[in-house]
Amino acid sequence: MKHTNKLIDELDEIIKNPNSGLPEEVFLFASRITPMINVDLLIRNSNNEILLTWRGGDYYSPGWHIPGGIVRYKESLNDRINHVAKIELGTEVEFNPEPILVSEVIRSPERLNRGHFISFLFDCKLKTPLVRQEKYGEFKWFKECPENIIPVHTMYKDVINRKRLKREYLSDHGKNCIIINHIELNSH
């Protein structure tokens, strides 16, 4: 127990302020031992198109994805939504504070880091114009889900295509299970 307490003290020294995020190595370790909670922003325009952003191959194979981010320690879901809109899209969004979908993503067993997520999908609309953010790449409006959506977002294909959702989605990266579904097909 003394050894464990010493390691915890060392981590406290390294982390400094968990509210602003964790050092990469600490975050990846934390993602091995506990599920990560994230928000995803389903942003629609007046043409009923969905905004997707391009994600490079950092943690996933390159592809389109719904903008989103992992909730920081003592950060509310609402604050994370606003932060994602600002840092990834250079904009502000309005949204219903109740998620339209809650899902659980469990990646394949060989996936060590970032292997388990609880995802909250929020219906959003832009309040201000999009501004491309250099770090986050391009964004594009889609009427239908592109084939090259990142595998971990397989569960969102039916959302984007306005189809009835299944309870479970499988990809080469693992399993996505729908926990709560408040999506009305006719509203899309």
Side-chain angles (χ1 to χ4, degrees):
M1 190 65 139
K2 271 186 174 182
H3 181 67
T4 303
N5 288 337
K6 183 178 178 195
L7 290 173
I8 291 170
D9 289 343
E10 288 177 29
L11 279 175
D12 279 339
E13 278 298 309
I14 293 169
I15 293 171
K16 305 273 190 248
N17 181 5
N19 301 60
S20 62
L22 299 173
E24 184 73 5
E25 301 81 14
V26 175
F27 167 75
L28 292 174
F29 174 72
S31 78
R32 291 180 207 163
I33 61 173
T34 189
M36 298 284 108
I37 297 172
N38 69 286
V39 298
D40 289 321
L41 286 61
L42 184 69
I43 302 172
R44 285 184 259 237
N45 65 16
S46 58
N47 296 324
N48 215 18
E49 296 169 315
I50 304 295
L51 182 69
L52 300 178
T53 57
W54 185 260
R55 179 163 281 177
D58 295 348
Y59 299 107
Y60 307 101
S61 51
W64 293 102
H65 77 102
I66 289 180
I70 295 172
V71 178
R72 305 305 191 260
Y73 179 66
K74 293 191 177 183
E75 179 181 50
S76 71
L77 298 177
N78 292 354
D79 287 345
R80 178 53 30 185
I81 292 167
N82 289 321
H83 191 73
V84 165
K86 181 179 178 182
I87 65 166
E88 285 193 30
L89 306 168
T91 190
E92 294 178 13
V93 294
E94 59 185 48
F95 58 93
N96 181 334
E98 184 175 320
I100 59 173
L101 190 72
V102 179
S103 59
E104 179 178 40
V105 177
I106 299 177
R107 308 288 303 277
S108 55
E110 58 273 2
R111 178 71 179 214
L112 185 60
N113 297 323
R114 299 174 66 109
H116 189 177
F117 293 90
I118 307 297
S119 299
F120 293 82
L121 180 66
F122 289 88
D123 201 8
C124 303
K125 290 190 180 359
L126 295 176
K127 286 172 61 175
T128 60
L130 294 163
V131 178
R132 186 176 185 277
Q133 303 300 298
E134 192 63 38
K135 180 179 175 188
Y136 290 93
E138 66 179 298
F139 45 76
K140 185 176 175 182
W141 294 100
F142 288 87
K143 279 246 184 243
E144 298 290 327
C145 186
E147 285 301 315
N148 58 344
I149 194 161
I150 62 173
V152 74
H153 277 186
T154 301
M155 70 223 178
Y156 293 144
K157 278 186 175 183
D158 287 341
V159 173
I160 295 167
N161 291 332
R162 297 161 196 82
K163 293 183 179 177
R164 188 165 308 284
L165 277 76
K166 299 178 260 186
R167 294 279 303 148
E168 187 174 286
Y169 293 84
L170 300 175
S171 77
D172 58 344
H173 291 279
K175 179 169 64 169
N176 305 342
C177 297
I178 305 301
I179 298 170
I180 298 171
N181 179 0
H182 291 295
I183 295 176
E184 296 177 31
L185 290 175
N186 59 0
S187 71
H188 296 296

